[in-house]
Amino acid sequence: MTQYVYRFGGGVSDGGSGDKTLLGGKGANLAEMASIGLPVPPGFTISTQMCTRYYEEGQSFPDSLRQEVAEGIAHIEGVTGKKFGDAADPLLVSVRSGARVSMPGMMDTVLNLGLNDRTVEGLAAASGDARFAWDSYRRFIQMYSDVVLELDHGRFEEALEIAKEDNGYNLDTELTAEDWQKLVAEYKALVEELWGKPFPQDVQDQLWGAVGAVFGSWQADRAKVYRRLNDIPGDWGTAVNVQAMVFGNMGDTSATGVAFTRNPATGENAYYGEFLINAQGEDVVAGIRTPQYLTRAAREAAGAKPLSMEEAMPDAYAELAAVFDRLERHYRDMQDIEFTVQQGKLWMLQTRSGKRTAKAALKIAVDMAEEGLITREEAVARVDPAALDQLLHPTLDPDAPRDVLTKGLPASPGAASGAAVFDSETAERRSATGEPVILVRVETSPEDIHGMHAAKGILTARGGMTSHAAVVARGMGRPCVSGAGSLSIDSRARVMRIGTREIREGDTLTIDGSTGEVMAGSVPTVQPELAGDFGTLMEWADGVRRLRVRANAETPLDCRTARDFGAEGVGLCRTEHMFFEGSRITAVRQMILAEDEKGRRAALEKLLPEQRGDFVEIFEVMAGLPCTIRLLDPPLHEFLPHEEAEFVEVAAAAGVGVEQLKRRAAELHEFNPMLGHRGCRLGVTYPEIYEMQARAIFEAACEVAGKSGEAPIPEVMIPLVATARELELMKIVVDTAAQAVFAEKGRTITYLVGTMIELPRAALKAGEIARVGEFFSFGTNDLTQTTLGVSRDDAARFLGVYVDKGIYARDPFVSLDVEGVGELIEIAAERGRATRPDVKLGICGEHGGDPASIAFCEKAGLDYVSASPYRVPIARLAAAQAALAARKQ
């Protein structure tokens, strides 16, 4: 019989840190902490396998699980000496989710489970604190009603606010035992009104309702969005952790907190965190109360008055600090820890490798390697390549004027400007039109995940450095300012007020997540400095990677940016982008409108010096490096006008009649231009176009070689080849142009002629094509389209649903479809090398900057990947990680 329940605590650990796939991250780490002797409240974990079975069997539980859970409860009872449901001294438990990777705030938790009208009296008597007991009961009813019964959370919040207002209270902590008892009665009446039945009094019913709700939250919309954004497979499932409650809300000797062993924003080797006295865990992360600092140094640096934990609870803090050091040494990584102090006794509720910004990840990895805690190779493997994107874009100009409205907490570094919006739906809608937005909320909740992703930055009035907004923003790489307490946000009126100033929806805001500043208007930016820890880690990465990394670039600026980021050549230069500039478009249109070859050549003669100049600039930046130049690819109709006014203007510029222009546009119109008269098909029918481009390439290469003494290595790429004969014809055109230029210039340049593999037929016939082509560059954008029969321009309408339903693990235009498109690449590589062992192989689609796709390229034995300039460092690090992973296999 399959085991689904695994115990921990009280000297028992059925699992450990290596069991994350089975027990989820939380369950595995609770078992591990218990096994090394840390103070962990006893409990048990229901495995992720049960989550999968729960959905397979219509969201029901097998009888065998009920027996295992009963044994798990008995284990907790045995360790604590309390009984579940006992009226005199009741055992209370928490029920929490725990996926194998951290998904902060995305799934559900229920605390204080086991309270009812009888056990609350027993808790009051056993604890000697009636206020604590009734506060715990109202929390349980409120949380259970929200998470399990799915009742309107706002109605309960409203009742609490009215109770405080009626009594003249500002804080929850001011309510007395009698106040809480009255509110419990109101909450129970609310449940009956909204649910149609009384609040569940049977503790077993409560437990199974909570377990089902936690499993159910795996398929909640917010969890699906988070998984899609973070490439987490939907079939992993979540574990459920049931654990004895410990209480941070038992008076002034009790507290709860969240802490990191190092600063997750900067990477500084200093404890970082927050705590609240007389509170439960959700009070810290939900931003309901403003938390206090963990250390005296952090409090003094912030200029805060409330005592830090180090000052207010020195004994518990000292014990906690020792646990921090022990956990970091044990796990050899920065830890994110949740803890509770119950009447002076410290309890550890969770540890996990903490989410961190890219800047912090770099510093922590490099520092730990230099401290000897991890190796350099481990440091390279520790940093998420995609997270580097946070470091590669501009930050606010420190010398630019700033209209500072207020200051909050610097929750996630970086800076962003955009239109202020006050709800996630508006953020998503306006962002979809290309408008940058700043999401402004009193506090964010897990339901805001889509708006946070759409926004350039996040600003909240409430919450601390470990609030939902802060944690999720850091994980996403979004700048975030939280806890800007002077903000007054009126979501209905769509306005934010700071003193006498107003920011209305659509007004431009700037936030600086590194300083906490909130500014009116837009503030200029400066380019990032890529030295220090970044340079160190990149050097270590370059020392282990096998794949070369090039850039997709066709302007001198792109090329210089790429070189600065460590590119080792150009993997794709799209020449058609050069044809749309200024006077060139007129010459292109004259060529298209020409009635014969003579007319086309006359127009192309005008383009030749322009093309040559383009290539000179690129080759000067890339002197000595390979540069793959793709000859003209798009269909000719793309260069012609479509609107009536444009026809008149273009006709005049081209010196032809409007009717002639319209007739030619009609002749060139295609119903499916992606599969039409484009790529090498243009070269076959109009070889003079490719002849002009080849001449421009070789003249530029000879010129740069003469000036610099260091010749570039042109790789002339023929696009959209389906047969060896197409490539053969085009290679004759290129070779003829090369020899003519070399004869004229008295100089010979090394060059290659190859093709872009972007059609399934080309992949399958790669053995024949390699007899002609000296390199293959896999154009994975079009190869994905032609293999899947899906247009990337239109697929956004349904691909999200396909990912949610498990048809594709990820968007195939973002991360390579390894099973389909990947197999074609492997076939082409194998057959191409069988014919020409030294054929050069690379990819140049957008997948060239995707870490998962790069891992596939390493496995397939390609020679290089090519990515957009800003993704070159991502590709360098991902290639290093792929090489390290390959060594382990």
Side-chain angles (χ1 to χ4, degrees), residues 359-430:
K359 179 180 179 181
L362 282 170
K363 180 167 179 54
I364 290 169
V366 171
D367 283 357
M368 284 187 168
E370 292 181 341
E371 290 163 16
L373 194 61
I374 60 176
T375 66
R376 288 184 175 185
E377 290 188 351
E378 285 176 307
V380 167
R382 284 276 173 93
V383 179
D384 176 9
L388 292 182
D389 201 38
Q390 297 173 36
L391 301 177
L392 305 178
H393 294 282
T395 53
L396 292 186
D397 183 348
D399 299 323
R402 304 183 182 200
D403 180 5
V404 179
L405 299 170
T406 187
K407 193 169 184 179
L409 298 171
S412 182
S417 298
V421 297
F422 295 94
D423 66 80
S424 290
E425 287 67 34
T426 304
E428 193 169 46
R429 186 176 66 252
R430 292 180 77 150

Side-chain angles (χ1 to χ4, degrees), residues 640-652 657-663 665:
L640 294 180
H642 303 286
E643 304 296 328
E644 185 66 34
E646 287 182 309
F647 274 116
V648 174
E649 183 183 332
V650 170
V658 173
E659 291 308 313
Q660 180 187 349
L661 183 58
K662 287 183 176 179
R663 176 178 56 78

